[in-house]
Amino acid sequence: MTLQEYSDQFLPAIEKALRTSVFESLSAPRFGGLREMMAYHLGWEGEGSGPRAQGKRIRPQLLLLCSAAAGGDWRDALQAAAAVELIHNFSLIHDDIEDRSKTRHGRPTVWAKWGEAQAVNTGDAMFTLAFQTLARLSSTLPADQVLSAVSLLQDVCFELTQGQFLDISYEISRAIPLADYWAMVGGKTAALLAGSAQIGGLVGGADVARQQAFYQFGHSLGLAFQAQDDALGIWGDAALLGKSTESDLMSGKKTLPVVYGIEKGGDFARRWLAGPIRQDEIAPLAEQLRREGAEDYTLAEAERWTQVALQALEQAAVQRTAGAALEELAQRLLRRGY
């Protein structure tokens, strides 16, 4: 099967598992408001609901593909897939508060709509619900494997908070070293993709060595994904992306092209270090970054990490059809928005 054929099977099953987790856990009428906030954030209800508001569900699809690639039945991994998507969305709810983001997917964020206190609580509830959902693996897996999956997801959550700590800390710095950039995105972006891949391998029956290969695949894929996203944030096609490409330079984000440009110490670095960027400076500064090699460097790093991911996939000794779909996923992520 192709990646699209897998997705056509996965997505309805993922949505069903997520809805079951949320609606069965919050069935009492008194908790209708909490259920509404979760359903709204997950893209099921409210103005603007639908596929665009739901997102691509990349992490649960990655988990199910890795489970199939390890030789298991992906249906046995659905509770784990729902759990990682709930963790992802918990982190988004909290990120929106911390970043003061008032919109996501073109809709008001939970905190912008219901206030910070309710948004924090909704994120906390989603976090807890994720582990309750993951524990339901006990219906198909031995207890020791369920415990391993829970431990892996806990490690992922800790890495997420570490990455977010670095991201927030770096907001007050105009410059950071490249090594610090990779540490930050390793937590914020790569950790959950790596954990999803490893948990998928575990549920699919992979031994420890193959699980580590799946982890490396997901981690490297996450770094490639972030590098590509950083390039798109400055030079991508806004029409294809569905969002402005001006915000990254305006907001002062420490993206890979920016960090690279600062380390080069050229005209871009001198202007960047002088203070916040004005809107009329965005286009010329983006072009200056390009001339200094930042775009080529960033895309080369995305390609490099993709190749590392694909090498890890070979080491995982994957089932042929699902493995080809995983390779297609890696290549597709590298081709976004240009």
Side-chain angles (χ1 to χ4, degrees):
M1 288 194 296
T2 65
L3 176 61
Q4 186 59 56
E5 288 171 330
Y6 273 113
S7 291
D8 290 343
Q9 291 188 22
F10 289 170
L11 287 173
I14 290 167
E15 294 307 309
K16 182 178 179 181
L18 284 168
R19 287 174 182 268
T20 298
S21 294
V22 171
F23 293 137
E24 286 189 357
S25 299
L26 295 169
S27 58
R30 67 173 62 91
F31 300 124
L34 180 57
R35 183 173 61 247
E36 178 188 6
M37 285 184 277
M38 283 197 187
Y40 173 85
H41 177 78
L42 289 164
W44 300 331
E45 297 178 2
E47 185 177 354
S49 61
R52 182 171 181 268
Q54 292 168 16
K56 295 182 175 65
R57 308 296 197 223
I58 290 173
R59 291 149 192 85
Q61 290 197 72
L62 175 63
L63 189 150
L64 295 181
L65 270 176
C66 288
S67 181
D73 185 338
W74 62 266
R75 296 166 187 83
D76 292 339
L78 275 169
Q79 299 302 325
V84 299
E85 185 64 12
L86 289 168
I87 289 295
H88 174 56
N89 280 277
F90 135 76
S91 72
L92 295 181
I93 291 173
H94 281 206
D95 282 357
D96 287 340
I97 298 168
E98 293 162 351
D99 296 342
R100 313 310 297 165
S101 299
K102 293 186 177 181
T103 60
R104 179 173 292 278
H105 298 308
R107 312 164 81 211
T109 52
V110 175
W111 79 266
K113 192 173 176 66
W114 283 282
E116 291 183 33
Q118 288 289 18
V120 169
N121 190 63
T122 299
D124 291 348
M126 199 172 284
F127 176 89
T128 305
L129 185 58
F131 284 96
Q132 290 182 340
T133 302
L134 187 62
R136 293 176 190 157
L137 285 174
S138 60
S139 63
T140 56
L141 289 182
D144 61 333
Q145 285 183 278
V146 178
L147 183 60
S148 294
V150 170
S151 179
L152 287 173
L153 193 55
Q154 287 175 330
D155 290 343
V156 164
C157 292
F158 192 47
E159 287 186 71
L160 284 174
T161 61
Q162 290 173 310
Q164 184 70 351
F165 162 77
L166 293 176
D167 191 25
I168 295 170
S169 298
Y170 295 157
E171 287 178 359
I172 61 174
S173 303
R174 288 303 288 175
I176 64 170
L178 274 168
D180 289 359
Y181 165 86
W182 291 115
M184 174 180 69
V185 301
K188 279 183 64 69
T189 304
L192 189 50
L193 288 166
S196 297
Q198 184 173 7
I199 292 170
L202 183 155
V203 176
D207 61 22
V208 173
R210 292 178 70 205
Q211 286 178 40
Q212 284 300 312
F214 278 115
Y215 173 91
Q216 185 60 57
F217 169 73
H219 182 79
S220 301
L221 188 64
L223 297 180
F225 179 91
Q226 188 59 62
Q228 175 78 354
D229 203 56
D230 286 355
L232 292 172
I234 297 176
W235 300 289
D237 186 327
L240 289 176
L241 294 171
K243 63 180 181 179
S244 170
T245 57
E246 297 181 350
S247 60
D248 280 5
L249 288 175
M250 280 282 288
S251 65
K253 289 176 65 175
K254 311 305 182 299
T255 63
L256 184 55
V258 167
V259 176
Y260 173 85
I262 294 169
E263 289 214 345
K264 290 286 287 185
D267 289 343
F268 172 83
R270 284 187 284 275
R271 174 59 192 91
W272 178 271
L273 295 172
I277 307 302
R278 302 188 309 270
Q279 186 163 3
D280 63 306
E281 296 179 289
I282 292 173
L285 276 175
E287 184 56 34
Q288 180 64 38
L289 259 184
R290 177 180 274 137
R291 287 196 299 270
E292 293 179 9
E295 183 180 26
D296 288 343
Y297 170 80
T298 302
L299 294 177
E301 284 296 280
E303 173 63 29
R304 179 174 73 85
W305 282 113
T306 299
Q307 293 307 313
V308 173
L310 294 177
Q311 290 168 12
L313 195 59
E314 288 184 11
Q315 295 170 4
V318 296
Q319 187 271 346
R320 183 175 178 181
T321 306
L326 283 169
E327 183 173 347
E328 185 182 348
L329 173 64
Q331 297 292 357
R332 182 175 295 185
L333 291 176
L334 197 65
R335 296 193 301 268
R336 296 168 298 135
Y338 266 94

PDB file of all heavy atoms in Angstrom, residues 24 37 50 77 99-100 157 225 232 248 256 293:
ATOM      1  N   GLU A  24     -16.099   9.628  26.181  1.00  0.00           N
ATOM      2  CA  GLU A  24     -16.445   8.670  27.235  1.00  0.00           C
ATOM      3  C   GLU A  24     -15.917   9.126  28.583  1.00  0.00           C
ATOM      4  O   GLU A  24     -16.552   8.893  29.625  1.00  0.00           O
ATOM      5  CB  GLU A  24     -15.900   7.288  26.892  1.00  0.00           C
ATOM      6  CG  GLU A  24     -16.672   6.586  25.779  1.00  0.00           C
ATOM      7  CD  GLU A  24     -16.252   5.141  25.602  1.00  0.00           C
ATOM      8  OE1 GLU A  24     -15.319   4.692  26.315  1.00  0.00           O
ATOM      9  OE2 GLU A  24     -16.857   4.454  24.752  1.00  0.00           O
ATOM     10  N   MET A  37     -14.345  22.398  25.183  1.00  0.00           N
ATOM     11  CA  MET A  37     -13.034  23.001  24.916  1.00  0.00           C
ATOM     12  C   MET A  37     -12.087  22.008  24.258  1.00  0.00           C
ATOM     13  O   MET A  37     -11.339  22.355  23.328  1.00  0.00           O
ATOM     14  CB  MET A  37     -12.438  23.560  26.209  1.00  0.00           C
ATOM     15  CG  MET A  37     -13.097  24.856  26.663  1.00  0.00           C
ATOM     16  SD  MET A  37     -12.337  25.592  28.133  1.00  0.00           S
ATOM     17  CE  MET A  37     -13.138  24.650  29.429  1.00  0.00           C
ATOM     18  N   GLY A  50     -13.270  21.067  11.354  1.00  0.00           N
ATOM     19  CA  GLY A  50     -13.100  20.250  10.167  1.00  0.00           C
ATOM     20  C   GLY A  50     -11.649  19.833   9.985  1.00  0.00           C
ATOM     21  O   GLY A  50     -10.812  20.057  10.868  1.00  0.00           O
ATOM     22  N   ALA A  77      -2.326  -0.792  17.976  1.00  0.00           N
ATOM     23  CA  ALA A  77      -1.590   0.378  18.453  1.00  0.00           C
ATOM     24  C   ALA A  77      -2.447   1.636  18.491  1.00  0.00           C
ATOM     25  O   ALA A  77      -1.934   2.725  18.773  1.00  0.00           O
ATOM     26  CB  ALA A  77      -0.368   0.613  17.560  1.00  0.00           C
ATOM     27  N   ASP A  99       3.188  31.483  24.329  1.00  0.00           N
ATOM     28  CA  ASP A  99       3.614  32.315  23.199  1.00  0.00           C
ATOM     29  C   ASP A  99       2.658  33.477  22.931  1.00  0.00           C
ATOM     30  O   ASP A  99       2.892  34.262  22.006  1.00  0.00           O
ATOM     31  CB  ASP A  99       3.715  31.461  21.927  1.00  0.00           C
ATOM     32  CG  ASP A  99       4.775  30.384  22.021  1.00  0.00           C
ATOM     33  OD1 ASP A  99       5.653  30.503  22.899  1.00  0.00           O
ATOM     34  OD2 ASP A  99       4.717  29.426  21.239  1.00  0.00           O
ATOM     35  N   ARG A 100       1.564  33.559  23.698  1.00  0.00           N
ATOM     36  CA  ARG A 100       0.529  34.591  23.511  1.00  0.00           C
ATOM     37  C   ARG A 100      -0.069  34.525  22.102  1.00  0.00           C
ATOM     38  O   ARG A 100      -0.440  35.535  21.504  1.00  0.00           O
ATOM     39  CB  ARG A 100       1.089  36.000  23.763  1.00  0.00           C
ATOM     40  CG  ARG A 100       1.915  36.169  25.021  1.00  0.00           C
ATOM     41  CD  ARG A 100       1.234  35.622  26.247  1.00  0.00           C
ATOM     42  NE  ARG A 100      -0.017  36.320  26.568  1.00  0.00           N
ATOM     43  CZ  ARG A 100      -0.926  35.833  27.423  1.00  0.00           C
ATOM     44  NH1 ARG A 100      -0.743  34.665  28.003  1.00  0.00           N
ATOM     45  NH2 ARG A 100      -2.014  36.534  27.669  1.00  0.00           N
ATOM     46  N   CYS A 157       7.500  13.545  27.320  1.00  0.00           N
ATOM     47  CA  CYS A 157       6.901  14.744  27.915  1.00  0.00           C
ATOM     48  C   CYS A 157       7.942  15.586  28.637  1.00  0.00           C
ATOM     49  O   CYS A 157       7.904  16.832  28.576  1.00  0.00           O
ATOM     50  CB  CYS A 157       5.771  14.356  28.871  1.00  0.00           C
ATOM     51  SG  CYS A 157       4.343  13.642  28.037  1.00  0.00           S
ATOM     52  N   PHE A 225      12.315  17.866   9.703  1.00  0.00           N
ATOM     53  CA  PHE A 225      11.029  18.560   9.611  1.00  0.00           C
ATOM     54  C   PHE A 225      11.166  20.000  10.099  1.00  0.00           C
ATOM     55  O   PHE A 225      10.676  20.937   9.460  1.00  0.00           O
ATOM     56  CB  PHE A 225       9.999  17.806  10.452  1.00  0.00           C
ATOM     57  CG  PHE A 225       8.631  18.421  10.473  1.00  0.00           C
ATOM     58  CD1 PHE A 225       7.670  18.053   9.552  1.00  0.00           C
ATOM     59  CD2 PHE A 225       8.298  19.358  11.439  1.00  0.00           C
ATOM     60  CE1 PHE A 225       6.396  18.618   9.579  1.00  0.00           C
ATOM     61  CE2 PHE A 225       7.033  19.933  11.471  1.00  0.00           C
ATOM     62  CZ  PHE A 225       6.081  19.557  10.534  1.00  0.00           C
ATOM     63  N   LEU A 232      10.833  27.326   5.335  1.00  0.00           N
ATOM     64  CA  LEU A 232       9.525  27.749   4.821  1.00  0.00           C
ATOM     65  C   LEU A 232       9.047  29.019   5.511  1.00  0.00           C
ATOM     66  O   LEU A 232       8.369  29.852   4.902  1.00  0.00           O
ATOM     67  CB  LEU A 232       8.500  26.633   5.041  1.00  0.00           C
ATOM     68  CG  LEU A 232       8.699  25.363   4.212  1.00  0.00           C
ATOM     69  CD1 LEU A 232       7.739  24.279   4.673  1.00  0.00           C
ATOM     70  CD2 LEU A 232       8.519  25.641   2.737  1.00  0.00           C
ATOM     71  N   ASP A 248       8.211  34.998  11.205  1.00  0.00           N
ATOM     72  CA  ASP A 248       9.398  34.467  11.867  1.00  0.00           C
ATOM     73  C   ASP A 248      10.459  35.540  12.079  1.00  0.00           C
ATOM     74  O   ASP A 248      11.061  35.641  13.157  1.00  0.00           O
ATOM     75  CB  ASP A 248       9.979  33.305  11.063  1.00  0.00           C
ATOM     76  CG  ASP A 248       9.232  31.998  11.312  1.00  0.00           C
ATOM     77  OD1 ASP A 248       8.212  32.032  12.025  1.00  0.00           O
ATOM     78  OD2 ASP A 248       9.663  30.955  10.788  1.00  0.00           O
ATOM     79  N   LEU A 256      16.644  28.174  12.360  1.00  0.00           N
ATOM     80  CA  LEU A 256      17.957  27.743  11.882  1.00  0.00           C
ATOM     81  C   LEU A 256      18.597  28.744  10.911  1.00  0.00           C
ATOM     82  O   LEU A 256      19.797  29.043  11.050  1.00  0.00           O
ATOM     83  CB  LEU A 256      17.846  26.357  11.233  1.00  0.00           C
ATOM     84  CG  LEU A 256      19.157  25.716  10.766  1.00  0.00           C
ATOM     85  CD1 LEU A 256      20.177  25.646  11.894  1.00  0.00           C
ATOM     86  CD2 LEU A 256      18.883  24.324  10.202  1.00  0.00           C
ATOM     87  N   GLY A 293      23.928  32.514   2.281  1.00  0.00           N
ATOM     88  CA  GLY A 293      23.947  31.047   2.262  1.00  0.00           C
ATOM     89  C   GLY A 293      23.040  30.363   3.252  1.00  0.00           C
ATOM     90  O   GLY A 293      23.074  29.124   3.375  1.00  0.00           O
TER      91      GLY A 293
END
